[in-house]
Amino acid sequence: MRRIHVGNALSAFGLGFTVPYLYVYVAQVRGLGAVTAGLVLTVFAVAALIVLPFAGRAIVRRGPLPVLLAALVIAALGALSLGLAGNATAVLAAAAALGAGQAVMQPALATMIVDCSSAGTRSRAFATQFFLQNLGLGVGGLIGGHLVDTTRVSSFTLLFAIEAAMFLVLVVVMATVRMPHSPRIADAPGRSGSAKGGWRQLLGNRAMVQLCVLGFVLFFACYGQFESGLSAYGVEAAGISTSALGTALAANTAVIVVAQFAVLRFVERRRRSRVIAAVGLIWAVAWVVAGYAGLGHGSQEVATAAFVSTYALFGLGEAMLSPTVAPLVADLAPVGMAGQYNSAFALVKQLALAVGPAVGGPMGASLHAPYVVMFLVFSLGISVLAVRLGRQLTAVQDRPSLAKSRVVVQGGADASGHARARA
């Protein structure tokens, strides 16, 4: 598990090194223009959407470790090629390789965490993963920002070479991992499932389908707005400066890093569906605060403080989700199907991240009041969907801490129904 967490931190560090500077690199440093730079970001999303449906089946058949190693090598080649590419075709091909590799890493690493954890330790494991990812992204972005020089192509080549090196170091670290097999929640439905017909089986799991719908709304209404609609809204409606926008993003990361393990203690023994519902309410408050920042006609200082608070509130919600949603995906998966379920949820996430900016960007820039109202409604919808999801979950799936109780652990098939009822 320690090696897996090191891997998460290294991959996030590599991403933080380059992702914030992709647009500037392609459009200005390589002189390929804004259209090509926009296409690069689109290729990232499209590549992920293409490979993720196949990644789940590969993880189920081959195991997460070989799939992860292949994804890391492809991502390293993509990163290095991107740093050396001098024309649009080469840039887009390199971006496709990098995007595909990065996309497959997520479900592979998540499945490795599942296999190295139990129902009782899984929430803490995913919380640690999220903490290290944000720390790695923040540190990578900070260091990368001091290395790049828009007047020197070589500085960006160095940046992408370092990212490629991080992926290759991660190959070496991960190659030493020997994967155990952890027990799964005893009363998860469909335990006898196999890889064959995995997508059909997944779509027949009502709880998983509802979780995917909920996940789409979560990523669409929050993550899909960070660097598109919400930032455009802040600049256009609230008059936020670029430095204040950077402060807001830093506040989001800081809240996650500082609050993650304090929040973990709060959510570990509570029902997952209720925690997600609470996140919806917190984000609804965040959108109200954002509305005040852009539409409240207060002073610029107050508007800036309100906008920074919006990002901080989003960070608090993210810290609550990290030990909740990803472990729930794993606990809904039948034995041997965690890779398929993790890939399906990653696919939903990528769809939301592709649609979110396309919808939110233009609205945030020009339709200020409708933008805030729409995402306020989406946030409240998260709470409603979470409560409905809770009705599809068993007692132990909704509150894993119950698995430690003598009532749930005892007994065979005849006792399981009484155990669930008493829980």
Side-chain angles (χ1 to χ4, degrees):
M1 183 66 83
R2 284 195 295 270
R3 290 187 179 101
I4 294 169
H5 285 322
V6 168
N8 273 302
L10 285 175
S11 63
F13 179 79
L15 293 178
F17 238 63
T18 58
V19 170
Y21 314 108
L22 267 177
Y23 185 91
V24 173
Y25 170 69
V26 176
Q28 299 178 11
V29 177
R30 287 295 183 183
L32 298 177
V35 174
T36 303
L39 285 174
V40 166
L41 300 177
T42 302
V43 164
F44 264 91
V46 171
L49 294 176
I50 291 173
V51 300
L52 280 172
F54 302 100
R57 178 59 62 86
I59 292 171
V60 169
R61 289 182 171 178
R62 305 294 182 187
L65 185 55
V67 174
L68 174 64
L69 295 178
L72 287 168
V73 172
I74 292 171
L77 291 173
L80 189 58
S81 300
L82 198 55
L84 298 173
N87 57 68
T89 302
V91 164
L92 293 174
L98 181 57
Q102 289 175 359
V104 176
M105 285 182 215
Q106 298 176 33
L109 283 166
T111 305
M112 292 175 73
I113 290 177
V114 172
D115 289 343
C116 289
S117 63
S118 66
T121 62
R122 198 161 290 147
S123 293
R124 185 165 294 271
F126 277 102
T128 303
Q129 177 201 31
F130 191 66
F131 169 84
L132 291 173
Q133 281 180 340
N134 279 275
L135 190 62
L137 284 169
V139 173
L142 182 64
I143 296 176
H146 286 85
L147 290 179
V148 295
D149 182 351
T150 55
T151 63
R152 292 189 301 115
V153 174
S154 60
S155 68
F156 284 86
T157 302
L158 174 64
L159 210 64
F160 285 105
I162 293 174
E163 181 182 27
M166 289 295 101
F167 291 139
L168 294 177
V169 168
L170 186 48
V171 169
V172 175
V173 172
M174 290 292 103
T176 66
V177 173
R178 297 294 177 265
M179 294 299 298
H181 294 284
S182 66
R184 307 300 301 276
I185 285 183
D187 54 359
R191 286 175 54 83
S192 60
S194 64
K196 186 177 181 179
W199 283 101
R200 190 183 310 112
Q201 183 180 4
L202 187 152
L203 293 173
N205 186 331
R206 290 186 62 186
M208 184 60 191
V209 171
Q210 288 193 23
L211 180 58
C212 285
V213 173
L214 174 59
F216 182 88
V217 178
L218 283 168
F219 289 110
F220 175 77
C222 175
Y223 300 89
Q225 304 308 312
F226 270 2
E227 296 174 2
S228 58
L230 190 55
S231 59
Y233 169 82
V235 171
E236 298 295 337
I240 302 300
S241 65
T242 53
S243 61
L245 183 58
T247 301
L249 290 167
N252 174 265
T253 302
V255 168
I256 293 170
V257 171
V258 171
Q260 181 64 84
F261 293 104
V263 168
L264 177 63
R265 293 194 190 97
F266 174 77
V267 304
E268 267 186 320
R269 305 191 70 83
R270 286 168 173 79
R271 295 176 63 181
R272 286 166 166 170
S273 59
R274 296 300 185 264
V275 171
I276 300 172
V279 170
L281 296 178
I282 291 172
W283 285 356
V285 173
W287 283 107
V288 170
V289 174
Y292 177 77
L295 309 171
H297 305 295
S299 67
Q300 188 58 54
E301 291 76 13
V302 172
T304 300
F307 193 74
V308 171
S309 299
T310 299
Y311 274 81
L313 287 168
F314 276 120
L316 178 60
E318 292 174 76
M320 294 170 67
L321 288 176
S322 62
T324 306
V325 175
L328 180 55
V329 173
D331 291 342
L332 287 174
V335 172
M337 294 291 290
Q340 187 92 51
Y341 278 55
N342 282 323
S343 294
F345 197 76
L347 179 62
V348 169
K349 175 181 177 181
Q350 288 296 329
L351 283 169
L353 294 180
V355 175
V359 174
M363 287 190 68
S366 57
L367 303 173
H368 303 147
Y371 175 72
V372 170
V373 171
M374 183 175 81
F375 284 97
L376 172 61
V377 171
F378 269 108
S379 297
L380 295 175
I382 289 171
S383 299
V384 174
L385 289 171
V387 172
R388 292 186 62 186
L389 173 64
R391 298 172 187 154
Q392 297 293 327
L393 303 176
T394 64
V396 178
Q397 288 169 348
D398 204 13
R399 188 181 293 178
S401 60
L402 294 176
K404 300 178 183 179
S405 72
R406 183 175 61 86
V407 172
V408 173
V409 172
Q410 274 183 346
D414 291 336
S416 63
H418 296 293
R420 283 196 295 271
R422 290 181 63 182

